[in-house]
Amino acid sequence: MNDRHYIYYSDTKKKNIRKKKNKRNFIYLIIFILSFICVSILLVIIFSDNSNNIQSIDMVEKKITLEEPREISSITIGATGDILIHMPVLDAFWSEEGYDFTPAFSYIKEYYEKPDLMIANLEVPLVDPNDGYNYSSNPFASPDSIAIALKNAGVDLCLTANNHSYDMGNYGLIRTQNILNQLGIDYIGTRYNWENSYVMVKTINEIKIGMTCFTYDTSAETNGRKSLNYNILEENDSSLVNSFNYSNLELFYNEAELQIKEMEDLNCDIKIFFLHWGEEYMDEPNHYQVEIAQKLCELGVDILIGGHPHVIQRFDTLNSSSGHQLLCLYSMGNALSNQRREYMNEDFYRGYTEDGLIIYLTIRKFNNGKTKIGCIEILPTWVEKRDSYRIIPLDYTKEPNDWKTFNTDSAIESYNRTISRLGDNYILYRLEHHEEEIPLVLP
């Protein structure tokens, strides 16, 4: 059996032990309280400094956020409609010295020279009679002097993909490019060989503009062989005109996407498509035009400008599912032609084929690297015919009596037709961008 030893304390001893223990606990409590106070003060100081730092950071961030992006450069691009040299137009500019179309552009010249880049739709192939080709219209064959006049009037770039590109076969297709190159006029829509890109990139004021041009073709009506106005292209020429067919839009979208990708790889700030499409003399874009425009918006195109209907069709703003915006002018109408109201059949005896325009688009680049489309201005034009033809600028900043025309009433009618044709979206766009109001109707 183990012995157990027990220690017994007296009551006095027990009291002393309790006193010591209570004293020690009190000291611990004091130390804990003092430590808590010191830690609290330290934390307050730390968090106060952090708060000041956070406030300072917030103020800097707010300052950065509130600071507006600064514009570092801008350019203006101009474009005008179809140049069609019908035989009466051709004959009007003949003299013993040869053909000279300079007078046709004498009044519009200052407006062609206004933008940094001026574009026109050259809808005729250029031929030389010494090569055995006579001048004609539909099929079109025109003298080089029309290109010379365009150059002298201020046109920098021509659209060459259209339904008349192959009116004179391979000869007209290639020779037109040769003449434009000799004159120093850029062009898009056709090319010399498949190794050349359909995409053109121009850098102006440090802004990169990517452009391409397509025309509809008639391959569905020629057993799948590529054709323009049912003129079948030679096998080696089929890749020299940038075209699409309404019967196979998926193929077109795939090609458009490749050309958009090329623009993006080249770091273009703005992507512009020109399309020769639609139906002649129709007031409104058809369902193909509307579908194609929306698809190109989804693919990231910024600006879409059309030609071929020979009448002006509306301006529109489209938005993609991701919020991207495309600006679309479905048709620019005629810049120069003989499609007079007196020559049109009764369904189209309304004067719309005499009307054209110049669309000016201002592109702005900012110090944050972003590029935006700013002001859009449309100048209505009218082809006046007397002993010859003149493109009359219908400048709303001037009184109609100051317009250089012999028929002010007809010019006013043309102006009113054009503004009406452009539609409400053009007016709304200008209002949203705080642009100068324009007269909607002239008396």
Side-chain angles (χ1 to χ4, degrees):
M1 181 176 180
N2 295 328
D3 293 331
R4 296 180 179 179
H5 300 279
Y6 296 92
I7 299 176
Y8 294 96
Y9 293 105
S10 65
D11 291 339
T12 302
K13 182 72 171 176
K14 290 179 180 178
K15 288 180 180 180
N16 290 334
I17 291 173
R18 289 193 190 98
K19 286 181 179 179
K20 288 181 180 180
K21 186 176 180 179
N22 290 339
K23 185 177 181 181
R24 187 170 61 248
N25 288 341
F26 178 74
I27 293 171
Y28 287 158
L29 179 62
I30 295 299
I31 293 172
F32 174 78
I33 291 171
L34 291 174
S35 298
F36 178 79
I37 292 171
C38 290
V39 170
S40 298
I41 293 172
L42 182 62
L43 289 174
V44 168
I45 293 172
I46 291 172
F47 280 108
S48 176
D49 289 342
N50 285 343
S51 176
N52 290 333
N53 289 336
I54 290 170
Q55 288 179 0
S56 298
I57 292 171
D58 285 344
M59 288 177 68
V60 171
E61 287 179 346
K62 287 178 180 178
K63 185 177 180 181
I64 293 173
T65 301
L66 292 173
E67 184 178 332
E68 289 292 331
R70 179 171 51 84
E71 182 180 316
I72 57 174
S73 63
S74 68
I75 63 170
T76 300
I77 298 172
T80 195
D82 306 336
I83 303 290
L84 282 166
I85 309 303
H86 296 99
M87 289 307 295
V89 178
L90 188 70
D91 294 340
F93 293 101
W94 161 256
S95 71
E96 291 182 0
E97 289 77 27
Y99 292 98
D100 183 5
F101 294 89
T102 301
F105 303 97
S106 57
Y107 300 148
I108 201 70
K109 177 179 168 68
E110 65 177 288
Y111 297 92
Y112 281 7
E113 293 176 336
K114 175 181 173 181
D116 299 285
L117 178 67
M118 183 64 201
I119 302 164
N121 182 29
L122 181 61
E123 203 171 347
V124 292
L126 306 176
V127 303
D128 185 346
N130 293 324
D131 295 330
Y133 290 84
N134 296 320
Y135 300 135
S136 62
S137 60
N138 208 15
F140 284 95
S142 299
D144 301 344
S145 50
I146 182 59
I148 295 171
L150 287 170
K151 172 71 175 180
N152 292 337
V155 171
D156 305 297
L157 184 150
C158 284
L159 310 175
T160 54
N162 54 71
N163 56 309
H164 295 292
S165 299
Y166 211 68
D167 277 9
M168 294 294 112
N170 172 271
Y171 167 83
L173 177 66
I174 299 302
R175 189 178 183 281
T176 301
Q177 297 178 67
N178 287 337
I179 297 302
L180 293 176
N181 278 325
Q182 290 173 21
L183 294 172
I185 301 176
D186 289 325
Y187 60 91
I188 51 175
T190 56
R191 59 186 179 181
Y192 281 112
N193 57 61
W194 64 269
E195 294 176 339
N196 300 127
S197 175
Y198 283 126
V199 170
M200 174 170 284
V201 176
K202 294 190 73 67
T203 302
I204 307 172
N205 293 347
E206 300 182 356
I207 298 176
K208 270 192 173 183
I209 308 298
M211 298 173 288
T212 190
C213 174
F214 284 83
T215 181
Y216 77 94
D217 64 41
T218 49
S219 58
E221 291 79 20
T222 50
N223 296 320
R225 295 185 62 184
K226 190 167 185 175
S227 63
L228 298 172
N229 270 9
Y230 313 106
N231 295 316
I232 297 175
L233 278 67
E234 296 177 19
E235 185 175 350
N236 292 335
D237 294 342
S238 62
S239 62
L240 304 185
V241 181
N242 203 21
S243 72
F244 69 93
N245 192 270
Y246 294 115
S247 67
N248 192 350
L249 289 180
E250 280 306 313
L251 183 64
F252 167 52
Y253 296 148
N254 291 338
E255 180 59 32
E257 197 164 7
L258 289 174
Q259 294 185 29
I260 291 168
K261 176 70 163 52
E262 185 177 345
M263 294 179 192
E264 291 173 344
D265 290 343
L266 293 170
N267 299 314
C268 291
D269 296 300
I270 293 290
K271 299 178 285 293
I272 305 177
F273 270 51
F274 294 91
L275 295 187
H276 203 78
W277 61 350
E279 297 177 60
E280 292 181 328
Y281 320 122
M282 292 295 103
D283 298 343
E284 293 291 331
N286 63 25
H287 70 282
Y288 286 122
Q289 290 171 274
V290 174
E291 176 189 331
I292 291 170
Q294 185 61 47
K295 180 64 176 182
L296 292 179
C297 178
E298 297 291 342
L299 292 177
V301 175
D302 299 298
I303 299 168
L304 172 56
I305 298 176
H308 174 63
H310 305 305
V311 295
I312 293 166
Q313 292 178 342
R314 71 173 185 263
F315 171 88
D316 213 347
T317 54
L318 306 178
N319 294 288
S320 72
S321 55
S322 63
H324 176 75
Q325 186 177 75
L326 175 145
L327 304 182
C328 177
L329 178 59
Y330 284 100
S331 176
M332 295 184 285
N334 285 330
L336 177 64
S337 81
N338 186 54
Q339 291 182 325
R340 316 296 303 171
R341 72 167 70 199
E342 59 266 27
Y343 301 144
M344 305 299 289
N345 67 41
E346 61 183 57
D347 292 334
F348 306 109
Y349 186 82
R350 299 169 297 165
Y352 292 115
T353 51
E354 300 175 8
D355 306 333
L357 55 78
I358 303 173
I359 180 170
Y360 297 106
L361 303 116
T362 299
I363 314 298
R364 306 166 66 201
K365 192 166 187 176
F366 298 85
N367 60 345
N368 60 4
K370 294 185 178 181
T371 306
K372 294 182 180 180
I373 304 168
C375 171
I376 290 181
E377 181 182 353
I378 289 177
L379 173 74
T381 63
W382 175 58
V383 178
E384 181 175 44
K385 179 186 177 184
R386 287 174 61 81
D387 56 337
S388 186
Y389 297 77
R390 299 288 187 275
I391 304 173
I392 308 298
L394 309 181
D395 189 342
Y396 68 86
T397 65
K398 300 178 179 180
E399 291 295 325
N401 287 333
D402 294 330
W403 292 346
K404 295 177 180 179
T405 174
F406 290 96
N407 192 337
T408 304
D409 289 341
S410 293
I412 289 174
E413 288 177 11
S414 175
Y415 176 93
N416 291 340
R417 287 194 299 262
T418 294
I419 297 301
S420 174
R421 279 286 177 118
L422 291 173
D424 293 340
N425 280 328
Y426 171 58
I427 306 302
L428 290 173
Y429 185 92
R430 287 183 60 85
L431 290 175
E432 288 171 0
H433 287 75
H434 309 290
E435 300 299 337
E436 179 185 0
E437 292 186 19
I438 62 172
L440 302 183
V441 177
L442 294 175

